[in-house]
Each structure stands twice: as C-alpha cells, then as structure tokens.
Amino acid sequence: MAREFSTVGVVGLGTMGAGIVEVFARNGIDVVAVEISAPALERGRATLKGSTDRAVAKGKLAEADRDALHERVHFAVGLDALHSVDLVIEAVPEHLDLKQRIFAELDRVCRPETILATNTSSLSVTEISVATSRPNQVIGIHFFNPAPVMKLVEVVRTVVTAPEVVADVEALCARLGKVDVTINDRAGFIANALLFGYLNHAVGMFESHYATREDIDAAMKLGCGLPMGPLALMDLIGLDTAYEILDTMYRRGGRDRRHAPVPLLKQMVTAGLLGRKSGRGFYTYERPGSPVVVPDEATPLATDGALADGARAIAKVGVVGSGTMATGIIEVFAKAGYEVVSVTRGMEKSAKVCEAVKTSLNKGVVRGKLSEADRDAALGRISWSATLDHLADVDLVVEAVVEELSVKKALFASLDEICKPGVVLATTTSSLPVIDVAMATHRPADVVGLHFFNPAPVMPLVEVVRTIRTSPEATATARAVCAALGKTGVVCGDRSGFIVNALLFPYLNDAVKMLEASYSTADDIDHAMKLGCGYPMGPFELLDVVGLDVSLAIQRELYLELREPGFAPAPLLEHLVTAGYLGRKTRRGFRDHSHR
C-alpha cells in the first residue's frame, strides 16, 4: 500500500512553487507554504490568489472550491514550520549551493520518515541528496510550468533512492491527476535534455543572422505545429534560467557542444534582457511580466501591396513534376488565381496529375471548403503539357522533381535556355544545396528555393531559400508569391535543412540516442514531449510517420555539412533502417504498426 500524504510542505513560492501549492491544495491535501521573508511570503500568497481567481473567472473552479483550497494552505516564514509534514518539495532558484543548504536544514527540521523532494529541472538530484543524512529518501519531482495546467511530472530517482519512496511518489502523482515518467538522475532529465539543445540551436541561428526571430518562430509553429516558436519560448522561460539550465547540462552531460550556451545568450543575460519578466528579451514586451509583444527596431516593416521591395509581377506559373508535391503545388497556385502550366514527362503522367488535382479539388467541394464554381475556375486555369518548351512565357517556374542533384541541374540548364529573362526559377528541394542548382544556369541571381511542406494545399509554411547569388528582387518576388498564396514565407540562407529540418531533426536524433542509452522508453519520451512541452506528437510517433529512412538521410546531410559531432546519426536509427524497419510505411519502426 502506498503511503498516505496528508500534509505537504512547499519551499519557495515563486511562479513554480505557488503553482505546486495550488496543485496539492486543489486535490484536498493540506499545504505548509514557506518563504524566506514576510514580503516574499506575501508575493507567493498573491500569486496563488491571482491564479485561483483567474480559474474562477474562467469557470474552471467554483468559488466554494477556491475558498476551501485557500483554507488548506498555511503560510509561514522559515523552514521550522515544516517539522511535521509528510513530504517537502523545494522550488527555489536553480543554484546547487542554495538547494544543498536548504536540504541540510530540512534534514534537521523534518521527521525521519519525511520524504524530501526537489523540483530542479537541471541540477543533480544526487548532489542535492548528499547534503542530508537520508539520501535514500530524497527524490526529484519535476513539475512543469504552469503546474496546475501541465499534466507531466518527471519523477527522478537517484542510485540510492529507496524503491518504496519512488512507488509512494508515483501513487501521489496519480492522485494529483498527473502523468508521471520515472527516470534516473541525468542532466536535463527527458524534456529539458531534448528541448534545450533545440532552443540553443535556434538562438545560434538567430545570432548568425541566418533568419530573423519572426521567421525562426513562425517556421517552427507552422512547420511543426508547436505551440510557440523557440525564441518566444526562451523569453517565456527567462533567458537567465535558460542559460543556467544549458550551462548545467553542458557541464554535467558530457560537455556536448550543443548544450554550450550560445555567446549571445550570456550577453543578453548580462545586459538584463531576460525575456518577458524584464520586458525585453528576443522580443520587446508592453511592460515587464506582460505577454504582449510590441514593435521595436528589429520588427519587420509591413509592406504595402504585393510588389513591394522590387518584387516582380507574376501572372503565369510553370510547375515541373508529377509527384504528390507537384500536384499539391499546382492546386495551390490554381486556387489562388494564377494561370498554371503543368509539365510532366509524358502525357500519361499528365493525365494522372490532372486526375489527382481534380480529386483533391472535389474533396474541397464535398467538405464545403470550395464552391463548385471556384473548383471549375481553378481547373480552367491549368494547362497540361509534356514538354518544357511550353514554359517559354511563364513568369515563375517551380520545380518539384525527384531529389537528385544531377536531375535537378539538368532541368535547370534546360529552363535557362527556354525561359524568358527575369523569370524566377524556384526549386522545392528540402535537402540539396540550392546554389548547386542555381549554378547550372547562367542566371543564378534569379534562382531561389521555395520549400513547400506536405501536403502543400494544407500546410501554411513555405521556406524561401536565398543563395549567396540570389538577388533581393528574386527573394522579394518569392515572398510576395507566398503571401498571394495565403502562405507564410520565411526567408533563410542556403544551409542544409533550412530552418525547420535543421532544428527538428537533431532533436529527433537526440531522442533516439536517449532511447538507445536505455535512459527511458519510447512511450515515456513521447509522453514527456507532448505533455511537458505541448508538442503535437512525440519524437518516436513523428519519426515513424516521417519514415526512418527519410529521417536518417536528412540527419546525414546535416552532419556532413556542419560536421557537428552531436549531429552524427544515432546508431540505433541506422540499424533500424538497415533492418528495413522504416516506420508506418513498412508497418514497423520504433513501434509495431501491424495491428493498427
């Protein structure tokens, strides 16, 4: 039988501590809430009151329940008030010496059977536990912010934590309505170990002027369905907190360069640009603590009209290719009012593409997203061809043929001869260097990458890739076309993975390495990222959908170009691909899909 916790102590009543107090009190447990001074105690009380009042206003908590909740909380200054509680959770700032001092004092004050827990997100629970004479009763209980809302709790056991202590805490999490994942004491645990490498990488991308803050954030929200972009998330977490977590993970986690804080981060912390809490971080906020972003000197100017910044007028578009991507792109342009010339290798393929576009448009009509008149008008704008010569009078060509450099280069050399001057030539490549394709022509200034995401009619993002030879006019034209299609165009340089894949796949690779090291299970890692970080899919769910062979190819490209040791593909990923376990398409990947 699990131990019954009737009274719990919480040390530190910042945002996290006050949230933890609320979680326990909401679930009928008496709480002793402790701070270092009377003013700090009052701030904690105000935080709790504000949170519960908001819950009442939103209809998520009855007034009577709120009042009963507050009656369960006893506020006190000093650790001596915790002498008779069953469990203490510490939620003070992330400084090892501070936590060790508190645990040594708790060891003296609390009853011998009391469990002592830390809410640390990055420090060693083991190093904290040795400050006590009862390290077997010390455990990590890592809540996520905001604690009353977030479902995930990471339960962190050290090598000496007693099994019954782990079992008691797991039962308590269930009583609180939380999903727990139990793991060993390792830098960053699951969620932060996977999240902060990605966030640090995004800061590096911004520091090197590879893309703007707005484009990096838009790319990850729209391309991956994440609740927030990485730079906005850093502002929410606090740049000082993020720096401490990264620095700790770097020192404790085998000195992986990807966890070494990007220099810009330290500079911003030193300058007091800490994110939302200081009113300025990567973005500028209305006032300290406000979530409302206000324009600053780095905010892009809103351009008036489609032909701003020297963008060229586009009326007629050629699309080369016969695959899923080409079909989707033809539909997108035709629905947006452009004349489209579809070119495939042979009329048989043209007929197939035509049929696929018709089927997709008909689905739109059935679902009420498109009128029959709009469908007919869109189809009327498309002409079907099996020869590139029909592209002689188009204003823009979008190439969506097979991902082989030799094929694309040959195609672009032909387009260079056929197309009139000033035509923008775009490649939809997701992995090849755009400059290699551009240099197959005599007009590299007119060549850009236009990386649509699959399915093109649905996905709102397009990565606009400019090479070192692309003209500002060609880039502006590509952005204006994206806007006219109702898509968000994000501009980046011609580097492997562009924005989305360059940030996404190293994170997926890190998850595979975590599984490979037997640190956690695929289920627990997926739970951690979905429930702890709000990701729409866990990394292993996503890998099985994308295809392990595709993922491995992208990861290899990133590693070959950047030569970053942390980007080397995880051996487990290579082994699964070799064994033919490629994900859903072969009914077996990280999970068995044969019965689904």
Side-chain angles (χ1 to χ4, degrees), residues 13 157 161 411 419 453 462 547:
L13 303 178
R157 60 178 172 229
T161 306
L411 172 61
C419 295
F453 286 71
V462 180

Side-chain angles (χ1 to χ4, degrees), residues 233-424:
L233 181 55
M234 285 289 252
D235 275 359
L236 175 63
I237 291 166
L239 273 58
D240 49 345
T241 304
Y243 179 83
E244 289 294 335
I245 290 172
L246 281 164
D247 191 49
T248 304
M249 281 170 49
Y250 175 71
R251 286 185 285 106
R252 282 187 62 211
R255 301 193 176 265
D256 181 343
R257 277 212 318 247
R258 295 185 48 238
H259 292 145
V262 170
L264 176 65
L265 202 52
K266 182 67 184 287
Q267 293 161 21
M268 291 176 77
V269 171
T270 306
L273 306 176
L274 308 182
R276 281 193 195 182
K277 60 186 169 191
S278 69
R280 181 96 193 243
F282 290 102
Y283 295 90
T284 301
Y285 298 87
E286 206 170 39
R287 61 181 180 279
S290 168
V292 181
V293 174
V294 295
D296 58 22
E297 66 280 0
T299 304
L301 297 169
T303 51
D304 297 323
L307 300 183
D309 307 326
R312 300 166 194 166
I314 303 289
K316 195 169 185 180
V317 178
V319 180
V320 184
S322 56
T324 311
M325 208 63 203
T327 307
I329 292 167
I330 292 165
E331 180 184 333
V332 167
F333 276 102
K335 281 199 297 201
Y338 290 94
E339 268 191 80
V340 182
V341 181
S342 160
V343 179
T344 61
R345 285 182 312 179
M347 289 316 288
E348 196 179 316
K349 285 205 159 127
S350 272
K352 274 188 181 167
V353 174
C354 177
E355 206 48 49
V357 172
K358 278 182 184 167
T359 303
S360 181
L361 289 169
N362 284 333
K363 276 185 191 161
V365 172
V366 171
R367 289 177 185 153
K369 294 186 174 178
L370 198 66
S371 70
E372 290 191 16
D374 287 342
R375 173 199 62 193
D376 297 343
L379 282 169
R381 292 187 196 104
I382 308 168
S383 55
W384 309 94
S385 168
T387 169
L388 292 173
D389 291 337
H390 288 144
L391 300 176
D393 64 339
V394 300
D395 308 308
L396 164 70
V397 179
V398 180
E399 162 279 307
V401 301
V402 65
E403 279 284 90
E404 280 180 30
L405 190 57
S406 58
V407 176
K408 290 187 190 283
K409 284 171 79 166
L411 172 61
F412 271 70
S414 299
L415 293 173
D416 189 30
E417 289 177 14
I418 293 164
C419 295
K420 62 190 182 187
V423 173
V424 174

Side-chain angles (χ1 to χ4, degrees), residues 527-538:
H527 277 318
M529 298 316 290
K530 289 194 319 195
L531 300 175
C533 301
Y535 281 31
M537 297 176 89

Side-chain angles (χ1 to χ4, degrees), residues 59-79:
K60 295 188 174 176
L61 191 66
E63 286 191 31
D65 291 339
R66 173 196 61 192
D67 298 342
L69 182 160
H70 283 283
E71 281 174 19
R72 291 188 197 105
V73 184
H74 170 67
F75 289 91
V77 173
L79 300 177

